[in-house]
Amino acid sequence: MMELKDTVEWMNSDDFKERMKAEYAQLCIRIVKLQRAIIGTLPPGMSMAEFEWMRQQLGAMTEYREYLAMRMKAKDIDVAGVEEDVFH
């Protein structure tokens, strides 16, 4: 799986489409990491409230990813291609 540091070239591009790819890739990476953090049992030392905030954050991030994907598709940016790059 791609790491955040692997998106630097896209992020530093003058082309807004490349920057959108970076944003989408970074969001996918962060979603996976957050999912891994909250799957299973409550981590030691974490309150139920904190755990619930993380779940709500994951929902918001997932919704944001959906809207970002819609914007990218409207600009003819290959969302599936970015996902392939992230999850290869």
Side-chain angles (χ1 to χ4, degrees):
M1 186 170 112
M2 188 182 256
E3 296 181 32
L4 291 173
K5 66 182 179 181
D6 300 324
T7 67
V8 170
E9 188 175 324
W10 285 343
M11 200 73 227
N12 288 327
S13 174
D14 290 333
D15 182 355
F16 81 94
K17 290 183 178 185
E18 294 295 304
R19 291 192 307 274
M20 285 184 86
K21 287 180 184 180
E23 183 177 354
Y24 189 83
Q26 291 169 3
L27 187 55
C28 288
I29 294 164
R30 289 184 171 107
I31 286 171
V32 168
K33 288 183 179 194
L34 185 56
Q35 286 171 328
R36 288 178 181 163
I38 65 176
I39 288 176
T41 60
L42 186 68
M46 183 178 289
S47 70
M48 284 301 294
E50 195 175 359
F51 186 75
E52 181 57 27
W53 296 331
M54 288 174 69
R55 285 183 3 88
Q56 291 178 11
Q57 179 184 356
L58 179 61
M61 290 169 70
T62 302
E63 185 176 5
Y64 174 48
R65 181 179 58 187
E66 292 169 8
Y67 284 105
L68 184 56
M70 285 187 259
R71 288 181 55 216
M72 291 171 67
K73 288 175 184 174
K75 299 288 185 188
D76 293 321
I77 301 171
D78 182 16
V79 174
V82 175
E83 289 174 351
E84 283 179 31
D85 288 341
V86 170
F87 298 111
H88 73 280

